[in-house]
Amino acid sequence: MPKYKVIFGSRVDNMLLRHVEFLARVSVPAAKQFRDEFKKVIREIEENPYQFPYEIDINLPADTYHKALFAKRYKALFLIEDKTVYLDAVVDCRQDNSF
């Protein structure tokens, strides 16, 4: 049983869908790898979200958001409150993401 509950922000589903659709157009195996690695990182967050470092970004409040890197170029941004993790974004690190 997970130690932390992960709640997806309202925009995360659309972000995931855009990433998978893009990858599937380029390479179906890459889309499957993205899916598998995303599932793995969510399981890791459920077990211990504090293992991931803080995101350092001048557009985000200091020492608030953590980042989990996966699938070579993607990151999940989340914050932790008690036993709940709020996943607010999944972004492609190669793009300018003013979300």
Side-chain angles (χ1 to χ4, degrees):
M1 181 154 181
K3 297 176 184 173
Y4 291 82
K5 180 179 181 178
V6 177
I7 297 176
F8 287 37
S10 60
R11 297 179 295 186
V12 172
D13 287 340
N14 286 333
M15 291 175 176
L16 290 170
L17 186 59
R18 280 197 326 257
H19 296 313
V20 170
E21 285 176 341
F22 169 77
L23 287 169
R25 282 193 300 271
V26 176
S27 165
V28 172
K32 289 179 180 179
Q33 179 181 3
F34 174 91
R35 177 200 63 202
D36 295 343
E37 290 191 30
F38 180 72
K39 287 180 184 180
K40 180 181 175 200
V41 84
I42 292 300
R43 284 192 301 271
E44 291 172 359
I45 290 170
E46 288 174 334
E47 287 305 310
N48 180 13
Y50 291 102
Q51 70 181 303
F52 298 99
Y54 283 112
E55 172 66 288
I56 300 170
D57 185 327
I58 60 170
N59 298 311
L60 297 173
D63 298 336
T64 304
Y65 281 90
H66 291 261
K67 67 179 173 184
L69 302 175
F70 67 99
K72 297 182 184 176
R73 58 182 60 107
Y74 294 92
K75 67 181 166 184
L77 295 173
F78 59 93
L79 57 94
I80 308 162
E81 290 182 6
D82 298 319
K83 291 290 188 178
T84 305
V85 175
Y86 297 94
L87 180 64
D88 283 342
V90 175
V91 295
D92 183 337
C93 297
R94 300 171 296 171
Q95 299 174 346
D96 176 24
N97 292 293
S98 302
F99 61 95

XYZ file of all heavy atoms in Angstrom:
832
model
N 0.846 -1.190 0.000
C 0.000 0.000 0.000
C 0.885 1.246 0.000
O 1.838 1.336 0.762
C -0.902 -0.024 1.220
C -1.824 1.147 1.299
S -3.283 0.706 2.233
C -4.148 2.210 2.130
N 0.576 2.216 -0.869
C 1.386 3.433 -0.948
C 1.373 4.222 0.366
O 0.379 4.245 1.091
C 0.708 4.244 -2.045
C -0.124 3.292 -2.804
C -0.499 2.204 -1.847
N 2.483 4.872 0.650
C 2.604 5.690 1.850
C 2.050 7.090 1.644
O 1.665 7.764 2.592
C 4.061 5.766 2.279
C 4.636 4.422 2.656
C 6.104 4.530 2.977
C 6.668 3.143 3.267
N 8.118 3.173 3.429
N 2.037 7.542 0.386
C 1.541 8.870 0.046
C 0.484 8.747 -1.039
O 0.566 7.887 -1.912
C 2.678 9.760 -0.478
C 3.674 10.129 0.587
C 4.698 9.248 0.930
C 3.585 11.335 1.257
C 5.616 9.575 1.918
C 4.495 11.677 2.244
C 5.506 10.786 2.567
O 6.402 11.112 3.551
N -0.497 9.635 -0.991
C -1.543 9.675 -2.008
C -1.160 10.733 -3.039
O -0.834 11.867 -2.684
C -2.883 10.044 -1.372
C -4.024 10.111 -2.353
C -5.324 10.446 -1.663
C -6.444 10.466 -2.680
N -7.727 10.748 -2.060
N -1.182 10.364 -4.315
C -0.847 11.294 -5.391
C -2.139 11.772 -6.049
O -2.952 10.968 -6.494
C 0.080 10.642 -6.437
C 0.356 11.605 -7.584
C 1.379 10.186 -5.791
N -2.296 13.080 -6.091
C -3.460 13.693 -6.728
C -2.969 14.471 -7.946
O -2.075 15.306 -7.837
C -4.204 14.629 -5.750
C -4.750 13.813 -4.583
C -5.314 15.382 -6.470
C -5.422 14.624 -3.505
N -3.567 14.180 -9.103
C -3.185 14.842 -10.345
C -3.917 16.173 -10.459
O -5.128 16.237 -10.269
C -3.558 13.982 -11.548
C -2.677 12.780 -11.746
C -2.174 12.047 -10.687
C -2.352 12.380 -13.027
C -1.368 10.954 -10.876
C -1.541 11.270 -13.239
C -1.045 10.559 -12.162
N -3.175 17.215 -10.810
C -3.778 18.520 -11.068
C -4.672 18.465 -12.291
O -4.564 17.559 -13.123
N -5.516 19.452 -12.432
C -6.510 19.448 -13.506
C -5.904 19.443 -14.904
O -6.516 18.940 -15.843
C -7.446 20.651 -13.353
O -6.704 21.856 -13.421
N -4.693 19.970 -15.071
C -4.088 20.041 -16.403
C -3.185 18.856 -16.723
O -2.755 18.698 -17.864
C -3.281 21.322 -16.532
C -4.161 22.563 -16.415
C -3.348 23.802 -16.518
N -2.443 23.875 -15.360
C -1.670 24.895 -15.076
N -1.660 25.942 -15.867
N -0.893 24.903 -14.018
N -2.875 18.043 -15.746
C -1.905 16.964 -15.937
C -2.379 15.948 -16.973
O -1.589 15.502 -17.813
C -1.558 16.286 -14.593
C -0.710 15.042 -14.806
C -0.830 17.266 -13.685
N -3.637 15.580 -16.946
C -4.138 14.610 -17.934
C -3.903 15.097 -19.360
O -3.457 14.335 -20.224
C -5.630 14.335 -17.720
C -5.905 13.488 -16.495
O -4.973 12.804 -16.020
O -7.042 13.519 -16.002
N -4.190 16.372 -19.616
C -3.973 16.924 -20.963
C -2.497 16.964 -21.315
O -2.126 16.709 -22.465
C -4.582 18.321 -21.086
C -6.083 18.283 -21.181
O -6.654 17.295 -21.634
N -6.737 19.335 -20.746
N -1.651 17.278 -20.349
C -0.210 17.293 -20.599
C 0.277 15.900 -20.983
O 1.025 15.734 -21.949
C 0.547 17.777 -19.362
C 0.351 19.223 -19.043
S 1.175 19.615 -17.480
C 0.905 21.364 -17.400
N -0.155 14.897 -20.219
C 0.242 13.512 -20.504
C -0.236 13.086 -21.882
O 0.513 12.471 -22.650
C -0.308 12.562 -19.442
C 0.310 12.671 -18.058
C -0.496 11.865 -17.050
C 1.759 12.213 -18.084
N -1.464 13.409 -22.196
C -2.030 13.044 -23.497
C -1.240 13.683 -24.641
O -0.912 13.011 -25.628
C -3.497 13.459 -23.563
C -4.277 13.025 -24.787
C -4.276 11.512 -24.918
C -5.696 13.536 -24.718
N -0.883 14.950 -24.502
C -0.100 15.633 -25.554
C 1.263 14.973 -25.739
O 1.710 14.772 -26.868
C 0.076 17.105 -25.210
C -1.133 17.954 -25.527
C -0.806 19.441 -25.560
N 0.219 19.855 -24.615
C 0.004 20.486 -23.453
N -1.225 20.770 -23.089
N 1.005 20.841 -22.684
N 1.926 14.636 -24.625
C 3.245 14.010 -24.723
C 3.154 12.638 -25.391
O 3.952 12.317 -26.274
C 3.896 13.870 -23.343
C 4.197 15.176 -22.685
N 4.823 16.228 -23.320
C 3.963 15.607 -21.424
C 4.959 17.235 -22.488
N 4.450 16.880 -21.327
N 2.183 11.842 -24.989
C 2.046 10.497 -25.555
C 1.646 10.565 -27.026
O 2.172 9.813 -27.845
C 1.043 9.653 -24.728
C 0.706 8.355 -25.437
C 1.605 9.365 -23.343
N 0.743 11.463 -27.370
C 0.352 11.603 -28.779
C 1.547 12.003 -29.641
O 1.754 11.453 -30.728
C -0.766 12.641 -28.933
C -2.111 12.147 -28.490
C -3.192 13.222 -28.564
O -2.851 14.430 -28.620
O -4.361 12.858 -28.563
N 2.342 12.945 -29.163
C 3.524 13.362 -29.920
C 4.484 12.188 -30.095
O 4.949 11.911 -31.195
C 4.227 14.523 -29.213
C 5.580 14.812 -29.785
C 5.697 15.496 -30.992
C 6.726 14.382 -29.149
C 6.950 15.748 -31.540
C 7.982 14.627 -29.690
C 8.093 15.311 -30.885
N 4.781 11.500 -28.994
C 5.711 10.380 -29.063
C 5.197 9.262 -29.964
O 5.962 8.666 -30.724
C 5.996 9.835 -27.659
C 6.879 10.720 -26.787
C 6.871 10.210 -25.355
C 8.286 10.793 -27.339
N 3.912 8.973 -29.899
C 3.334 7.898 -30.712
C 3.430 8.218 -32.203
O 3.591 7.308 -33.022
C 1.890 7.651 -30.311
N 3.361 9.503 -32.555
C 3.522 9.877 -33.966
C 4.948 9.626 -34.433
O 5.182 9.296 -35.595
C 3.137 11.343 -34.185
C 1.649 11.590 -34.241
C 1.326 12.985 -34.776
N 1.882 14.064 -33.967
C 1.276 14.634 -32.934
N 0.081 14.224 -32.563
N 1.855 15.620 -32.283
N 5.898 9.789 -33.521
C 7.309 9.599 -33.863
C 7.709 8.138 -33.722
O 8.357 7.566 -34.590
C 8.196 10.495 -32.969
C 9.666 10.241 -33.222
C 7.840 11.956 -33.165
N 7.303 7.524 -32.592
C 7.720 6.148 -32.299
C 6.799 5.546 -31.243
O 6.760 6.034 -30.110
C 9.166 6.156 -31.783
O 9.486 4.936 -31.182
N 6.091 4.507 -31.615
C 5.208 3.835 -30.658
C 6.002 3.256 -29.483
O 5.583 3.394 -28.327
C 4.340 2.761 -31.355
C 3.574 1.934 -30.343
C 3.381 3.433 -32.339
N 7.167 2.630 -29.712
C 7.948 2.153 -28.560
C 8.348 3.284 -27.596
O 8.364 3.092 -26.386
C 9.186 1.508 -29.198
C 8.718 1.073 -30.542
C 7.753 2.154 -30.981
N 8.632 4.475 -28.132
C 8.974 5.615 -27.265
C 7.770 6.025 -26.424
O 7.915 6.368 -25.246
C 9.473 6.791 -28.099
N 6.586 5.980 -27.002
C 5.368 6.308 -26.253
C 5.135 5.293 -25.142
O 4.764 5.652 -24.020
C 4.164 6.363 -27.188
N 5.377 4.022 -25.433
C 5.219 2.977 -24.414
C 6.257 3.135 -23.309
O 5.950 2.947 -22.131
C 5.316 1.598 -25.046
C 4.123 1.255 -25.906
C 4.267 -0.115 -26.542
C 3.063 -0.445 -27.414
N 3.195 -1.748 -28.059
N 7.472 3.505 -23.685
C 8.519 3.724 -22.687
C 8.140 4.898 -21.777
O 8.310 4.828 -20.565
C 9.860 3.998 -23.353
C 10.973 4.248 -22.358
C 12.301 4.556 -23.016
O 12.406 4.646 -24.234
N 13.316 4.723 -22.207
N 7.618 5.973 -22.370
C 7.155 7.121 -21.592
C 6.106 6.670 -20.577
O 6.199 6.987 -19.396
C 6.572 8.190 -22.525
C 5.948 9.346 -21.802
C 6.700 10.464 -21.481
C 4.603 9.327 -21.453
C 6.125 11.541 -20.821
C 4.023 10.392 -20.791
C 4.791 11.504 -20.481
N 5.114 5.920 -21.049
C 4.047 5.434 -20.180
C 4.603 4.593 -19.035
O 4.258 4.808 -17.864
C 3.051 4.608 -20.991
C 1.930 3.994 -20.149
C 1.276 2.828 -20.850
N 2.260 1.764 -21.053
C 2.156 0.808 -21.963
N 1.137 0.779 -22.772
N 3.078 -0.119 -22.065
N 5.481 3.660 -19.359
C 6.039 2.767 -18.345
C 6.885 3.522 -17.322
O 6.783 3.279 -16.115
C 6.865 1.663 -18.994
C 6.030 0.721 -19.847
O 4.786 0.713 -19.697
O 6.620 -0.003 -20.678
N 7.700 4.446 -17.796
C 8.546 5.200 -16.876
C 7.725 6.178 -16.032
O 8.055 6.433 -14.875
C 9.660 5.916 -17.635
C 10.686 4.926 -18.172
C 11.939 5.594 -18.687
O 12.309 6.671 -18.181
O 12.558 5.021 -19.606
N 6.646 6.711 -16.596
C 5.767 7.583 -15.814
C 5.119 6.783 -14.683
O 5.076 7.245 -13.544
C 4.707 8.237 -16.695
C 3.784 9.129 -15.928
C 4.225 10.349 -15.443
C 2.481 8.746 -15.665
C 3.381 11.164 -14.705
C 1.628 9.551 -14.942
C 2.078 10.772 -14.461
N 4.622 5.600 -14.997
C 4.036 4.744 -13.957
C 5.052 4.455 -12.856
O 4.720 4.491 -11.665
C 3.549 3.413 -14.549
C 2.299 3.508 -15.369
C 1.941 2.126 -15.885
C 0.759 2.107 -16.789
N 0.450 0.748 -17.274
N 6.278 4.166 -13.254
C 7.325 3.853 -12.285
C 7.609 5.049 -11.382
O 7.723 4.905 -10.164
C 8.600 3.428 -13.016
C 9.742 3.093 -12.095
C 10.986 2.706 -12.867
C 12.128 2.490 -11.904
N 13.423 2.579 -12.518
N 7.710 6.235 -11.963
C 8.012 7.413 -11.150
C 6.850 7.734 -10.206
O 7.074 8.157 -9.063
C 8.430 8.623 -12.019
C 7.260 9.407 -12.551
C 9.350 9.543 -11.251
N 5.628 7.487 -10.626
C 4.480 7.705 -9.735
C 4.555 6.740 -8.550
O 4.324 7.134 -7.397
C 3.138 7.564 -10.489
C 2.973 8.713 -11.478
C 1.959 7.509 -9.519
C 2.963 10.104 -10.866
N 4.903 5.487 -8.807
C 5.056 4.522 -7.701
C 6.152 4.963 -6.737
O 6.006 4.850 -5.519
C 5.342 3.124 -8.246
C 4.120 2.430 -8.827
C 4.360 0.941 -9.085
N 5.468 0.696 -9.998
C 5.362 0.619 -11.323
N 4.189 0.778 -11.900
N 6.416 0.375 -12.063
N 7.250 5.496 -7.275
C 8.339 5.973 -6.426
C 7.901 7.176 -5.600
O 8.253 7.290 -4.421
C 9.559 6.319 -7.274
C 10.220 5.104 -7.894
C 11.317 5.460 -8.880
O 11.568 6.668 -9.116
O 11.932 4.528 -9.415
N 7.126 8.063 -6.197
C 6.605 9.222 -5.468
C 5.669 8.761 -4.360
O 5.700 9.299 -3.247
C 5.899 10.199 -6.432
C 6.923 10.879 -7.343
C 5.083 11.237 -5.670
C 6.318 11.675 -8.487
N 4.833 7.757 -4.652
C 3.914 7.243 -3.630
C 4.657 6.665 -2.428
O 4.166 6.723 -1.303
C 3.016 6.156 -4.226
C 1.967 6.676 -5.165
C 1.186 5.557 -5.850
O 1.713 4.431 -6.002
O 0.036 5.823 -6.228
N 5.826 6.123 -2.663
C 6.608 5.526 -1.572
C 7.407 6.563 -0.793
O 7.463 6.512 0.427
C 7.538 4.442 -2.122
C 6.806 3.185 -2.534
C 5.956 2.588 -1.419
O 6.466 2.413 -0.294
O 4.769 2.310 -1.669
N 8.071 7.480 -1.484
C 8.885 8.483 -0.804
C 9.112 9.683 -1.717
O 10.118 9.751 -2.422
C 10.229 7.900 -0.366
C 11.087 8.925 0.334
O 10.613 9.996 0.719
N 12.356 8.630 0.491
N 8.224 10.653 -1.700
C 8.390 11.810 -2.580
C 9.586 12.681 -2.207
O 10.093 13.435 -3.029
C 7.075 12.572 -2.415
C 6.562 12.167 -1.084
C 7.011 10.746 -0.894
N 10.062 12.553 -0.980
C 11.185 13.380 -0.534
C 12.523 12.942 -1.130
O 13.524 13.646 -0.975
C 11.263 13.389 0.990
C 10.103 14.124 1.611
C 9.035 13.429 2.163
C 10.067 15.512 1.625
C 7.958 14.101 2.724
C 8.995 16.197 2.181
C 7.948 15.483 2.729
O 6.890 16.161 3.287
N 12.552 11.818 -1.822
C 13.789 11.386 -2.466
C 14.120 12.251 -3.683
O 15.240 12.233 -4.184
C 13.698 9.924 -2.888
C 12.733 9.667 -4.044
C 12.633 8.225 -4.423
O 13.641 7.618 -4.747
N 11.426 7.659 -4.357
N 13.162 13.016 -4.154
C 13.351 13.848 -5.333
C 13.728 15.274 -4.922
O 13.175 15.812 -3.969
C 12.075 13.859 -6.185
C 11.722 12.498 -6.696
C 10.757 11.733 -6.060
C 12.373 11.968 -7.802
C 10.440 10.464 -6.519
C 12.057 10.699 -8.270
C 11.091 9.953 -7.626
N 14.643 15.890 -5.661
C 15.117 17.228 -5.278
C 14.086 18.314 -5.566
O 13.153 18.127 -6.353
C 16.355 17.415 -6.165
C 16.071 16.602 -7.380
C 15.294 15.395 -6.868
N 14.317 19.450 -4.925
C 13.501 20.625 -5.229
C 13.806 21.103 -6.643
O 14.938 21.005 -7.116
C 13.794 21.770 -4.263
C 13.153 21.605 -2.910
C 13.930 21.386 -1.783
C 11.777 21.677 -2.768
C 13.348 21.246 -0.539
C 11.182 21.536 -1.527
C 11.968 21.321 -0.418
O 11.388 21.175 0.805
N 12.788 21.629 -7.285
C 12.967 22.264 -8.594
C 13.500 23.668 -8.359
O 12.989 24.393 -7.508
C 11.637 22.320 -9.346
C 11.658 23.121 -10.632
C 12.533 22.524 -11.706
O 13.764 22.581 -11.558
O 11.993 22.010 -12.689
N 14.541 24.023 -9.089
C 15.101 25.367 -8.991
C 14.678 26.110 -10.246
O 15.172 25.835 -11.340
C 16.636 25.324 -8.863
C 17.022 24.560 -7.610
C 17.212 26.736 -8.856
C 18.492 24.232 -7.498
N 13.745 27.010 -10.077
C 13.197 27.769 -11.197
C 12.769 29.125 -10.647
O 12.007 29.181 -9.678
C 12.003 27.025 -11.796
C 11.430 27.683 -13.039
O 11.455 28.936 -13.135
O 10.948 26.960 -13.910
N 13.231 30.188 -11.281
C 12.913 31.527 -10.772
C 11.422 31.839 -10.856
O 10.946 32.750 -10.183
C 13.723 32.617 -11.498
C 13.432 32.607 -13.003
C 15.197 32.468 -11.228
C 13.995 33.795 -13.753
N 10.673 31.082 -11.660
C 9.238 31.309 -11.796
C 8.411 30.558 -10.756
O 7.192 30.730 -10.709
C 8.780 30.905 -13.198
C 9.442 31.737 -14.268
O 9.473 32.958 -14.183
N 10.007 31.083 -15.259
N 9.072 29.724 -9.946
C 8.373 28.942 -8.922
C 8.862 29.360 -7.535
O 10.022 29.744 -7.384
C 8.622 27.445 -9.127
C 8.103 26.837 -10.421
C 8.575 25.390 -10.554
C 6.592 26.911 -10.477
N 7.997 29.249 -6.537
C 8.441 29.576 -5.175
C 9.586 28.650 -4.746
O 9.565 27.445 -5.036
C 7.206 29.328 -4.314
C 6.071 29.093 -5.239
C 6.616 28.825 -6.602
N 10.568 29.204 -4.080
C 11.735 28.430 -3.646
C 11.336 27.331 -2.666
O 10.446 27.518 -1.827
C 12.755 29.355 -3.005
N 11.991 26.184 -2.800
C 11.807 25.048 -1.893
C 10.342 24.649 -1.725
O 9.889 24.342 -0.622
C 12.426 25.351 -0.526
C 13.922 25.568 -0.617
O 14.539 25.057 -1.570
O 14.472 26.255 0.262
N 9.610 24.638 -2.815
C 8.193 24.251 -2.780
C 7.941 23.040 -3.659
O 7.407 22.041 -3.198
C 7.290 25.417 -3.236
O 7.555 26.547 -2.412
C 5.826 25.053 -3.135
N 8.313 23.136 -4.928
C 8.063 22.052 -5.876
C 9.260 21.116 -5.953
O 10.399 21.553 -5.987
C 7.771 22.605 -7.274
C 6.375 23.112 -7.432
C 6.057 24.427 -7.148
C 5.353 22.263 -7.841
C 4.765 24.903 -7.280
C 4.061 22.715 -7.981
C 3.767 24.035 -7.696
O 2.492 24.487 -7.820
N 8.955 19.830 -6.000
C 9.972 18.812 -6.242
C 9.863 18.401 -7.703
O 8.817 18.574 -8.334
C 9.722 17.580 -5.360
C 9.968 17.831 -3.924
N 11.129 17.466 -3.290
C 9.195 18.427 -2.978
C 11.068 17.797 -2.017
N 9.907 18.387 -1.808
N 10.957 17.827 -8.232
C 10.925 17.345 -9.617
C 11.385 15.900 -9.663
O 12.281 15.483 -8.936
C 11.804 18.201 -10.509
C 13.289 18.099 -10.196
C 14.105 18.953 -11.130
C 15.561 18.959 -10.693
N 16.367 19.845 -11.508
N 10.742 15.141 -10.527
C 11.131 13.754 -10.787
C 11.373 13.640 -12.281
O 10.461 13.844 -13.082
C 10.030 12.805 -10.351
N 12.605 13.354 -12.650
C 12.958 13.220 -14.057
C 12.719 11.783 -14.514
O 12.966 10.844 -13.758
C 14.420 13.596 -14.264
C 14.795 15.007 -13.827
C 16.296 15.222 -13.955
C 14.042 16.047 -14.632
N 12.233 11.626 -15.746
C 11.980 10.284 -16.288
C 11.980 10.338 -17.803
O 11.894 11.416 -18.396
C 10.658 9.714 -15.744
C 9.421 10.433 -16.216
C 8.669 9.936 -17.260
C 9.020 11.615 -15.614
C 7.538 10.589 -17.706
C 7.886 12.282 -16.050
C 7.140 11.768 -17.093
N 12.110 9.180 -18.414
C 12.070 9.019 -19.871
C 13.020 9.994 -20.580
O 12.667 10.582 -21.597
C 10.642 9.149 -20.400
N 14.186 10.165 -20.025
C 15.283 10.960 -20.590
C 15.068 12.464 -20.616
O 16.006 13.216 -20.431
C 15.650 10.485 -21.994
C 16.166 9.085 -22.039
C 16.557 8.719 -23.445
C 16.991 7.263 -23.494
N 17.285 6.825 -24.846
N 13.851 12.944 -20.872
C 13.698 14.386 -21.036
C 12.416 14.963 -20.449
O 12.062 16.098 -20.755
C 13.800 14.749 -22.503
C 12.780 14.059 -23.385
C 12.950 14.423 -24.836
N 14.239 14.061 -25.345
C 14.471 13.058 -26.181
N 13.489 12.338 -26.617
N 15.680 12.803 -26.596
N 11.749 14.214 -19.632
C 10.514 14.707 -19.031
C 10.679 14.849 -17.528
O 11.492 14.161 -16.910
C 9.353 13.748 -19.340
C 9.025 13.724 -20.805
C 9.619 12.801 -21.651
C 8.151 14.651 -21.356
C 9.346 12.795 -23.008
C 7.869 14.645 -22.709
C 8.470 13.721 -23.530
O 8.203 13.720 -24.872
N 9.890 15.754 -16.954
C 9.902 15.875 -15.503
C 8.492 16.090 -14.995
O 7.664 16.741 -15.637
C 10.835 16.979 -15.023
C 10.438 18.382 -15.371
C 11.481 19.358 -14.844
C 11.293 20.726 -15.455
N 12.347 21.652 -15.025
N 8.260 15.497 -13.838
C 7.004 15.681 -13.115
C 7.282 16.680 -12.007
O 8.258 16.541 -11.270
C 6.531 14.353 -12.546
N 6.448 17.700 -11.896
C 6.580 18.702 -10.845
C 5.460 18.522 -9.840
O 4.286 18.463 -10.218
C 6.529 20.107 -11.445
C 7.674 20.476 -12.379
C 7.415 21.824 -13.036
C 8.986 20.511 -11.603
N 5.834 18.451 -8.576
C 4.832 18.188 -7.547
C 5.209 18.852 -6.239
O 6.362 19.193 -5.999
C 4.664 16.676 -7.349
C 5.929 15.960 -6.950
C 6.224 15.755 -5.608
C 6.814 15.480 -7.896
C 7.384 15.095 -5.222
C 7.970 14.813 -7.531
C 8.261 14.621 -6.186
N 4.195 19.039 -5.402
C 4.439 19.533 -4.049
C 3.849 18.549 -3.056
O 2.961 17.764 -3.385
C 3.927 20.958 -3.849
C 2.468 21.268 -4.112
C 1.687 21.155 -2.824
C 2.356 22.677 -4.628
N 4.379 18.598 -1.857
C 4.020 17.624 -0.822
C 3.393 18.357 0.360
O 3.962 19.340 0.847
C 5.270 16.862 -0.344
C 6.036 16.265 -1.528
C 4.888 15.786 0.671
C 7.463 15.879 -1.194
N 2.242 17.870 0.781
C 1.581 18.385 1.983
C 1.138 17.182 2.801
O 0.258 16.442 2.381
C 0.380 19.257 1.632
C 0.753 20.589 1.012
C -0.450 21.457 0.722
O -1.582 21.091 1.099
O -0.259 22.509 0.092
N 1.745 17.021 3.953
C 1.481 15.876 4.830
C 1.683 14.573 4.062
O 2.764 14.315 3.584
C 0.075 15.978 5.442
C -0.075 17.231 6.304
O 0.875 17.558 7.037
O -1.129 17.871 6.219
N 0.651 13.770 3.920
C 0.743 12.485 3.224
C 0.120 12.541 1.828
O -0.228 11.530 1.245
C 0.059 11.382 4.050
C 0.795 11.032 5.317
C 2.079 10.327 4.964
C 2.756 9.777 6.199
N 3.967 9.059 5.886
N -0.018 13.762 1.303
C -0.594 13.946 -0.027
C 0.415 14.642 -0.935
O 1.065 15.599 -0.523
C -1.886 14.785 0.047
O -2.788 14.162 0.965
C -2.549 14.900 -1.311
N 0.528 14.135 -2.146
C 1.399 14.722 -3.156
C 0.503 15.261 -4.264
O -0.360 14.549 -4.780
C 2.375 13.674 -3.730
C 3.187 14.258 -4.860
C 3.267 13.116 -2.631
N 0.709 16.519 -4.605
C -0.068 17.155 -5.660
C 0.814 17.280 -6.901
O 1.755 18.070 -6.921
C -0.565 18.530 -5.213
C -1.496 18.446 -4.040
C -1.031 18.589 -2.732
C -2.854 18.190 -4.230
C -1.890 18.486 -1.655
C -3.721 18.087 -3.157
C -3.227 18.238 -1.869
O -4.081 18.135 -0.808
N 0.507 16.474 -7.905
C 1.243 16.505 -9.165
C 0.624 17.610 -10.015
O -0.530 17.526 -10.416
C 1.142 15.152 -9.872
C 1.851 15.028 -11.206
C 3.354 15.190 -11.022
C 1.538 13.696 -11.841
N 1.415 18.664 -10.270
C 0.881 19.835 -10.967
C 1.256 19.919 -12.433
O 0.599 20.631 -13.194
C 1.325 21.117 -10.262
C 0.529 21.374 -9.000
O -0.553 20.784 -8.837
O 0.997 22.174 -8.168
N 2.323 19.235 -12.847
C 2.729 19.343 -14.252
C 3.636 18.186 -14.639
O 4.380 17.663 -13.814
C 3.458 20.661 -14.485
N 3.553 17.825 -15.908
C 4.494 16.903 -16.538
C 4.957 17.629 -17.790
O 4.164 17.897 -18.690
C 3.844 15.554 -16.893
C 4.830 14.681 -17.647
C 3.363 14.855 -15.634
N 6.245 17.991 -17.803
C 6.745 18.841 -18.873
C 7.914 18.200 -19.612
O 8.659 17.398 -19.056
C 7.159 20.230 -18.337
C 5.970 20.988 -17.800
C 8.229 20.116 -17.277
N 8.036 18.590 -20.860
C 9.164 18.204 -21.697
C 10.264 19.215 -21.398
O 10.076 20.417 -21.610
C 8.734 18.248 -23.159
C 9.801 17.787 -24.123
O 11.001 17.845 -23.768
O 9.444 17.353 -25.231
N 11.384 18.771 -20.914
C 12.464 19.673 -20.503
C 13.082 20.416 -21.675
O 13.819 21.377 -21.464
C 13.544 18.890 -19.755
S 12.965 18.156 -18.226
N 12.810 19.998 -22.902
C 13.377 20.671 -24.077
C 12.571 21.898 -24.475
O 12.979 22.656 -25.338
C 13.423 19.706 -25.270
C 14.268 18.485 -25.025
C 14.085 17.504 -26.129
N 12.694 17.051 -26.132
C 12.153 16.316 -27.072
N 12.861 15.937 -28.106
N 10.886 15.963 -27.012
N 11.408 22.104 -23.855
C 10.531 23.202 -24.261
C 10.471 24.268 -23.191
O 10.731 24.015 -22.015
C 9.115 22.682 -24.497
C 9.021 21.650 -25.593
C 7.637 21.060 -25.697
O 6.805 21.207 -24.817
N 7.384 20.362 -26.789
N 10.102 25.475 -23.591
C 9.823 26.546 -22.652
C 8.424 26.294 -22.130
O 7.449 26.354 -22.882
C 9.901 27.901 -23.330
C 9.518 29.043 -22.401
O 9.636 28.861 -21.160
O 9.103 30.095 -22.897
N 8.297 26.008 -20.855
C 6.998 25.632 -20.288
C 6.539 26.681 -19.294
O 6.817 26.612 -18.109
C 7.094 24.277 -19.587
C 7.329 23.168 -20.569
O 6.459 22.885 -21.373
N 8.496 22.565 -20.518
N 5.848 27.657 -19.785
C 5.257 28.669 -18.910
C 3.832 28.232 -18.612
O 2.894 28.664 -19.233
C 5.284 30.020 -19.599
O 6.583 30.364 -19.943
N 3.722 27.330 -17.654
C 2.393 26.795 -17.354
C 1.869 27.560 -16.193
O 0.889 27.706 -15.772
C 2.448 25.285 -17.072
C 3.285 24.915 -15.898
C 2.716 24.744 -14.669
C 4.652 24.747 -16.006
C 3.497 24.398 -13.577
C 5.420 24.398 -14.935
C 4.840 24.237 -13.709
